[in-house]
Amino acid sequence: RSEKKRVAIYGGTFDPPTNSHMTCASEIVNSGCADEVWIVPCGPRPDKPHLKTSAMDRYCMCQIAVNSCFAPAFPVKVLDIEAYRDTAFYTYDMLCELRDTYPDIDFSFVIGSDWLDEGRSPQSWVSLNKAWKPGMPEDQKVVLTGDQLLRDFDVLVLPRPGHTVQQLGPRLQWLRMPEDFHLIQGNLSSTQIRERLNSTGTLRDIEGLVPGGVLSYIRRSNIY
């Protein structure tokens, strides 16, 4: 085992964070695949026009969710690395930034097995092209770095219903529980929460689906 602390980066929009997100973070810790989980709500995403909730609101909701669901000593925390940015990091760029900032930590990245469907593999992910300058073609602003990501970082794969992968490549590993532990999965998504709110407009209809503090934040902020 590496002497470095192992931290799993659990990124997403968390718009809003749900009880399932907290279950997932908890099970990553309980699996022993990581010593800590750092939840990273993404910054603004031009490629996601439906993402209208500010990065700071989503960061605050994640903090409330973690602080209300876990004891202070439980190794899940929320990182604000994207909360103050104009645009979200590309995944590889964020992992490199964290590696440079915390050289004594081994970072891995969490994905669902749905990300291994054809056409969605991490090998197709891109990063900012640091050599790009104004006047150069716009399509050269990003470069393909998925293969480099898989060379530099481990990827922790969470099983998703209906998305079965027969074989994982190097540096990808399934989330596996200790003997006599059954993986507890929650498949409730932020999208389902927003759709229900858009349909009914009633916060009562999402009670029990998001942490109570998150529900109170939504009620006070009127963000959905």
Side-chain angles (χ1 to χ4, degrees):
R1 170 175 169 167
S2 169
E3 294 182 0
K4 292 184 176 182
K5 180 165 64 177
R6 300 166 302 152
V7 172
I9 298 300
Y10 183 18
T13 58
F14 302 104
D15 185 26
T18 70
N19 289 340
S20 289
H21 290 133
M22 298 303 105
T23 298
C24 178
S26 174
E27 288 295 76
I28 294 170
V29 173
N30 293 332
S31 74
C33 292
D35 301 312
E36 291 186 9
V37 173
W38 293 3
I39 292 174
V40 183
C42 71
R45 293 276 301 270
D47 63 315
K48 287 183 175 284
H50 69 270
L51 183 57
K52 303 185 185 304
T53 312
S54 73
M56 184 53 66
D57 276 327
R58 291 179 286 108
Y59 169 75
C60 289
M61 287 191 286
C62 285
Q63 283 284 19
I64 291 168
V66 167
N67 289 328
S68 61
C69 289
F70 304 120
F74 196 75
V76 174
K77 71 177 188 178
V78 185
L79 208 61
D80 65 357
I81 188 172
E82 299 207 21
Y84 300 98
R85 289 177 55 86
D86 293 332
T87 58
F89 273 113
Y90 288 97
T91 300
Y92 181 65
D93 296 341
M94 176 185 66
L95 291 171
C96 289
E97 178 81 9
L98 289 172
R99 182 181 58 189
D100 293 343
T101 305
Y102 304 97
D104 294 330
I105 292 177
D106 273 337
F107 288 101
S108 60
F109 190 70
V110 178
I111 64 171
S113 60
D114 52 314
W115 274 104
L116 300 178
D117 290 347
E118 187 174 353
R120 299 190 73 195
S121 168
Q123 279 97 336
S124 64
W125 292 359
V126 298
S127 295
L128 282 178
N129 180 2
K130 296 179 180 178
W132 187 89
K133 294 181 175 58
M136 295 175 64
E138 288 291 312
D139 61 2
Q140 294 182 14
K141 271 189 173 182
V142 296
V143 291
L144 197 65
T145 53
D147 285 338
Q148 188 66 43
L149 186 155
L150 294 176
R151 284 193 291 270
D152 292 353
F153 298 97
D154 291 323
V155 176
L156 189 59
V157 182
L158 277 63
R160 298 284 192 229
H163 300 275
T164 303
V165 181
Q166 297 300 322
Q167 186 173 1
L168 298 181
R171 304 213 66 164
L172 287 94
Q173 61 170 315
W174 287 110
L175 177 71
R176 298 192 186 280
M177 304 303 290
E179 188 176 356
D180 298 328
F181 273 45
H182 176 75
L183 174 63
I184 298 174
Q185 299 185 65
N187 297 310
L188 173 64
S189 70
S190 299
T191 301
Q192 291 170 308
I193 297 294
R194 294 194 310 274
E195 287 176 347
R196 182 171 292 194
L197 286 174
N198 289 335
S199 174
T200 69
T202 305
L203 289 177
R204 184 177 182 276
D205 293 326
I206 63 168
E207 288 203 30
L209 305 180
V210 299
V214 171
L215 186 68
S216 297
Y217 187 94
I218 294 171
R219 180 177 289 115
R220 290 195 306 271
S221 305
N222 195 30
I223 53 179
Y224 297 112

